[in-house]
């Protein structure tokens, strides 16, 4: 495999960027012309000695904004661990540098829009969870890599990467077109990774958890639901649990993703907007594309649908079940489990009902394992595709239980666990395991919903607690605020970063310039004034309560009536995306 360079030095002149490879024996220098935007290779001796210099960790890519092209670099990284002998890094800080030396050529409106676009980029870059390796392909599972051809193995990291999980794919489009530049860039993964050295019965092994978030149909909780016309599901995540012991390697893969047909749940100031299933689109076409892809990638599919089977979630469960029946594909099996009903009144032990129900299927699927010589001893022939509404909280709990069951068999097979021993009895390992899966839940939840996950007290401790319920209430409140008043901006930020929206610097105006409806500012002000007057009248009561009551009733009625109008027109008051094309949001 053609690896990428590990360390770089960025040297800047008014006309060019010089990115020097600092690996031992390397002499290549990438030259980016700040005027023509051309990228070429040269050697170290051609770099002007007067250039300003700074060490960097890598190049994330380039992007065009109103002021022209920008270079995005990784300025800090931290080591996550070693995967099969390859170092894995977490990118922790970035810098966005303009090609242009000034923005005086822009109008005032363009300057403001350029500032907003930069803020969007920084919003994405400061979202925790970007990972990379300079000499290992993080985008593929162990099983997929085991069945690759020699030609594939000789490709660069960019060429061989699974494009679903390359979050800087759009930023690297100019590099991808020039193979000679591939050693200067690497694909970056978004999601969660942890690597831990563990010991059970005196036997040391590595335990690794990787969650790969798809960059297709990516976005935030309420603005990206269901699937698109290509069958890509919102919030799709491939999670792989890996162990390394005495040269043996084993892994177990699960997936999660939004209910795979056309539905939406737009924020409208209500705590829980009612899901809407499209009545105008042929659901089965996209549904079939989704599962054809899943079967090709992962083998047999067992759907674990954890949504409520009553209330507003009930139509989604019924439609999902009906579509699986209409699909009539023997490779796809459907299991509905009403998580909240089964676990109501803190009866979380009832999750074992689902684990027991799918145990035979899990045994049938198996897991992937290779010996120290690379010989495949076992392969995973199917996956569990879990989902709840957001594919976050309930989903993560179930995935952690299924992953533990697979790990039990793997460690017994490798002789780490003795006959009759249970993982749950290994106190230190069990604590680490639960915390890692809770951290995985939090990472995925923050990236999609804007807050940490719910129900992590159970994932961390195996018990549901009163304090956990309090924290879930707090996170739910924060989610409500973010989902209604900041997620439009977050969705625009992701679409800009991934290239779903392209900035044209020649445009005098952008969708950002669209004015809000008069009601957006006027009605909240009226409501606030009316409520304030109501309070003032109450506090400054006159001699007679009759007069005071009249004023309080008048202003109270005005504030309540205005609030009712705002709630009735809720979608006009939430922070909605401006850059996304309609077909991407449907």
């Amino acid at each position: 495999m053609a690896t990428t360079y590990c360390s770089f030095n960025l040297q800047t002149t008014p006309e060019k960027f010089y990115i020097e490879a600092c690996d031992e024996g390397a002499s290549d220098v990438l030259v980016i012309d700040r005027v023509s935007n051309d990228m070429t290779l040269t050697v170290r001796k051609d770099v002007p000695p007067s250039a300003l210099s700074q060490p960097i960790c890598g190049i994330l890519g380039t992007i065009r904004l109103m002021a022209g092209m920008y270079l995005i670099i990784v300025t800090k990284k931290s080591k996550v661990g070693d995967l099969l002998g390859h170092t894995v890094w977490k990118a922790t800080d970035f810098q966005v540098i303009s090609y242009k030396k000034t923005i005086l050529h822009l109008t005032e409106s363009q300057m403001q829009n350029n500032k907003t676009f930069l803020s969007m980029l920084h919003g994405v870059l400061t979202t925790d969870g970007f990972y990379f390796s300079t000499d290992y392909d993080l985008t593929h599972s162990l099983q997929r890599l085991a069945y690759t051809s020699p030609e594939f193995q000789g490709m660069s990291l960019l060429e061989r990467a699974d494009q679903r999980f390359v979050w800087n794919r759009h930023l690297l489009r100019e590099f991808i077109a020039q193979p000679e530049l591939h050693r200067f860039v690497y694909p970056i993964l978004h999601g969660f990774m942890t690597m831990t050295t563990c010991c059970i019965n005196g036997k040391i092994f590595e335990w690794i958890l990787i969650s790969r978030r798809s960059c297709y149909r990516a976005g935030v909780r309420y603005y990206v639901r269901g699937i698109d016309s290509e069958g890509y599901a919102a919030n799709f995540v491939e999670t792989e649990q890996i162990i390394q012991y005495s040269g043996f390697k084993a892994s177990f893969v699960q997936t999660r993703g939004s209910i795979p047909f056309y539905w939406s749940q737009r924020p409208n100031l209500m705590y829980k907007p009612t899901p809407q299933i499209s009545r105008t689109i042929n659901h089965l076409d996209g549904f079939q594309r989704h599962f054809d892809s899943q079967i090709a990638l992962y083998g047999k599919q067992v759907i674990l649908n954890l949504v409520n089977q009553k209330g507003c979630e009930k139509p989604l469960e019924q439609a999902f079940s009906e579509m699986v029946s209409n699909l009539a594909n023997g490779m796809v099996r459907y299991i509905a489990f009403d998580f909240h009903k089964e676990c109501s009144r803190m009866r979380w032990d009832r999750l074992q009902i689902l684990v027991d129900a799918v145990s035979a299927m899990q045994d049938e699927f198996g897991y992937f394992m290779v010996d120290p010589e690379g010989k495949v001893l076992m392969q995973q022939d199917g996956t569990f595709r879990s989902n709840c509404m957001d594919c976050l909280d309930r989903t993560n709990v179930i995935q952690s239980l299924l992953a533990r069951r697979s790990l039990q068999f793997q460690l017994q097979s490798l002789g780490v666990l003795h006959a009759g021993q249970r993982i749950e009895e290994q106190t230190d390992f069990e604590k680490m395991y639960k915390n890692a899966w809770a951290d995985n839940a939090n990472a995925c939840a923050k990236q999609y919903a804007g807050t940490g996950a719910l129900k992590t007290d159970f994932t961390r401790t195996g018990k549901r607690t009163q304090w956990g319920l309090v924290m879930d209430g707090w996170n739910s409140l924060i989610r409500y605020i973010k989902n209604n008043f900041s997620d439009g901006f977050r969705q625009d930020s992701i679409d800009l970063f991934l290239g779903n929206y392209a900035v044209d610097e020649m445009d005098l105006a952008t969708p950002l310039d669209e004015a809000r409806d008069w009601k957006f500012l006027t009605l909240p002000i009226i409501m606030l004034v009316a409520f304030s007057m109501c309070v003032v009248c109450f506090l400054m009561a006159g001699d007679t309560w009759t007069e005071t009551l009249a004023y309080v009733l008048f202003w109270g009625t005005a504030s309540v009536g205005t609030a009712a109008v705002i709630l009735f027109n809720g979608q006009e008051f939430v922070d909605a995306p401006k850059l996304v094309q309609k077909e991407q949001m449907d």
Side-chain angles (χ1 to χ4, degrees):
M1 177 180 62
T3 61
T4 63
Y5 292 122
C6 297
S7 59
F8 307 88
N9 200 41
L10 170 63
Q11 303 192 55
T12 305
T13 70
E15 295 78 26
K16 294 179 181 179
F17 296 122
Y18 296 91
I19 296 142
E20 175 187 350
C22 297
D23 294 23
E24 184 178 352
S27 61
D28 289 343
V29 177
L30 169 63
V31 183
I32 302 177
D33 193 301
R34 300 176 69 176
V35 178
S36 68
N37 302 340
D38 291 340
M39 297 183 182
T40 56
L41 287 180
T42 188
V43 291
R44 197 169 300 164
K45 64 182 180 64
D46 293 333
V47 179
S50 61
L52 296 175
S53 178
Q54 71 174 108
I56 65 173
C57 303
I59 306 169
L60 196 67
T62 63
I63 191 168
R64 184 178 298 277
L65 303 181
M66 297 301 294
M69 294 298 293
Y70 282 79
L71 175 68
I72 307 176
I73 57 175
V74 182
T75 56
K76 292 181 182 178
K77 64 183 180 181
S78 62
K79 184 175 178 179
V80 179
D82 293 309
L83 177 58
L84 311 183
H86 304 275
T87 302
V88 176
W89 302 95
K90 184 177 186 179
T92 57
D93 202 8
F94 305 86
Q95 188 175 345
V96 183
I97 308 173
S98 176
Y99 282 29
K100 299 287 179 65
K101 296 180 284 292
T102 177
I103 60 172
L104 295 178
H105 61 289
L106 300 179
T107 66
E108 184 176 345
S109 175
Q110 288 175 321
M111 286 184 184
Q112 183 59 46
N113 286 340
N114 196 71
K115 183 179 179 180
T116 301
F117 287 133
L118 283 172
S119 179
M120 289 178 178
L121 284 182
H122 286 295
V124 175
L125 295 173
T126 54
T127 302
D128 193 37
F130 288 105
Y131 302 89
F132 68 92
S133 175
T134 60
D135 58 358
Y136 185 79
D137 187 353
L138 294 175
T139 65
H140 289 286
S141 67
L142 261 61
Q143 180 162 313
R144 287 200 298 271
L145 290 174
Y147 290 104
T148 55
S149 66
E151 292 76 17
F152 178 87
Q153 295 170 18
M155 294 178 180
S156 69
L157 286 176
L158 282 188
E159 292 172 308
R160 58 185 270 160
D162 187 331
Q163 296 302 303
R164 294 178 300 160
F165 306 124
V166 181
W167 270 67
N168 58 336
R169 178 174 53 92
H170 170 67
L171 305 178
L172 295 178
R173 63 202 180 285
E174 296 185 18
F175 292 90
I176 293 172
Q178 297 179 251
E180 68 274 14
L181 305 182
H182 286 190
R183 294 197 68 182
F184 281 86
V185 289
Y186 41 70
I188 198 160
L189 193 77
H190 197 212
F192 177 77
M193 291 188 68
T194 186
M195 303 180 183
T196 308
T197 301
C198 308
C199 183
I200 295 178
N201 295 325
K203 297 175 181 178
I204 298 174
F205 62 96
E206 296 291 322
W207 182 86
I208 299 159
L209 187 65
I210 306 175
S211 280
R212 306 173 175 99
R213 292 191 71 215
S214 175
C215 60
Y216 294 131
R217 196 154 179 76
V220 298
R221 185 187 184 199
Y222 280 143
Y223 285 114
V224 179
R225 295 294 212 191
I227 57 172
D228 61 18
S229 59
E230 300 299 317
Y232 293 117
N235 199 27
F236 182 86
V237 183
E238 174 189 281
T239 299
E240 181 178 21
Q241 178 180 264
I242 300 172
I243 58 169
Q244 303 176 78
Y245 172 68
S246 191
F248 288 85
K249 295 176 281 289
S251 85
F252 179 67
V253 172
Q254 300 179 76
T255 65
R256 65 176 77 178
S258 188
I259 298 174
F261 48 81
Y262 300 98
W263 64 285
S264 60
Q265 194 179 12
R266 301 298 173 77
N268 58 4
L269 298 182
M270 303 301 291
Y271 176 72
K272 191 173 183 180
T274 302
Q276 302 292 329
I277 301 174
S278 175
R279 300 179 182 275
T280 61
I281 304 176
N282 184 344
H283 293 277
L284 200 56
D285 286 348
F287 190 83
Q288 182 165 343
R289 286 192 185 94
H290 177 76
F291 280 105
D292 284 349
S293 171
Q294 296 302 289
I295 292 168
L297 289 166
Y298 301 106
K300 296 176 182 177
Q301 298 287 294
V302 170
I303 300 163
L304 302 180
N305 189 9
L306 308 176
V307 302
N308 299 341
Q309 295 177 29
K310 62 179 182 179
C312 65
E313 296 182 13
K314 179 179 179 180
L316 294 171
E317 191 281 319
Q318 292 176 327
F320 203 171
S321 176
E322 182 180 347
M323 287 184 201
V324 173
S325 297
N326 293 337
L327 188 64
N329 188 327
M331 298 283 283
V332 179
R333 287 179 277 189
Y334 178 85
I335 297 175
F337 182 82
D338 192 328
F339 189 106
H340 287 149
K341 176 184 176 183
E342 294 293 341
C343 300
S344 62
R345 299 191 297 277
M346 310 288 277
R347 299 176 301 169
W348 285 64
D349 58 297
R350 292 179 62 81
L351 291 173
Q352 193 62 37
I353 295 174
L354 177 59
V355 175
D356 292 341
V358 302
S359 60
M361 302 173 196
Q362 187 171 5
D363 295 342
E364 175 191 340
F365 291 167
Y367 50 84
F368 177 74
M369 181 178 286
V370 294
D371 66 14
E373 285 72 44
K375 180 182 177 182
V376 176
L377 303 178
M378 184 183 297
Q379 70 176 23
Q380 186 175 340
D381 295 322
T383 58
F384 291 99
R385 184 204 186 278
S386 305
N387 72 267
C388 45
M389 289 297 286
D390 302 322
C391 311
L392 296 175
D393 313 315
R394 291 171 271 184
T395 294
N396 195 81
V397 169
I398 292 300
Q399 285 194 334
S400 69
L401 297 179
L402 295 176
R404 180 197 280 114
R405 187 174 184 275
S406 179
L407 188 61
Q408 174 78 34
F409 290 116
Q410 293 170 13
L411 294 179
Q412 285 179 335
S413 174
L414 294 172
V416 175
L417 283 176
H418 299 155
Q421 279 189 315
R422 304 290 301 173
I423 289 179
E424 293 88 340
E425 300 166 356
Q426 314 306 312
T427 307
D428 291 341
F429 178 82
E430 181 72 356
K431 181 179 179 181
M432 179 282 302
Y433 179 89
K434 288 177 177 178
N435 281 323
W437 271 95
D439 291 342
N440 177 68
N442 279 333
C444 293
K446 287 177 182 177
Q447 292 159 12
Y448 186 54
T451 73
L454 311 183
K455 304 176 179 64
T456 53
D457 57 327
F458 177 83
T459 311
R460 291 189 192 278
T461 67
K463 298 178 182 179
R464 199 70 166 106
T465 64
Q466 295 295 334
W467 177 247
L469 291 173
V470 171
M471 291 307 299
D472 282 359
W474 173 253
N475 277 329
S476 294
L477 174 62
I478 300 301
R479 281 188 187 182
Y480 170 82
I481 294 171
K482 289 191 173 184
N483 295 163
N484 282 281
F485 305 113
S486 66
D487 270 3
F489 187 85
R490 280 212 304 144
Q491 182 64 52
D492 285 338
S493 302
I494 293 170
D495 281 308
L496 176 68
F497 186 86
L498 295 177
N500 297 330
Y501 175 84
V503 176
D504 187 345
E505 59 189 291
M506 302 303 294
D507 285 346
L508 296 178
T510 73
L512 298 177
D513 297 313
E514 295 177 5
R516 296 298 297 259
D517 188 275
W518 66 272
K519 294 191 293 293
F520 179 72
L521 288 176
T522 306
L523 289 181
I525 291 174
I526 294 174
M527 182 184 71
L528 183 61
V529 169
F531 179 76
S532 300
M533 291 299 296
C534 179
V535 173
V536 169
C537 290
F538 182 80
L539 295 177
M540 300 180 65
D543 294 335
T544 64
W545 274 101
T546 304
E547 182 180 1
T548 300
L549 183 61
Y551 282 119
V552 169
L553 286 176
F554 174 80
W555 289 113
T557 302
S559 62
V560 170
T562 308
V565 173
I566 290 173
L567 287 175
F568 183 78
N569 298 278
Q571 285 197 0
E572 298 183 36
F573 291 89
V574 299
D575 178 44
K578 296 180 178 179
L579 305 182
V580 193
Q581 299 299 316
K582 185 178 185 299
E583 58 267 25
Q584 291 175 298
M585 296 175 57
D586 284 345

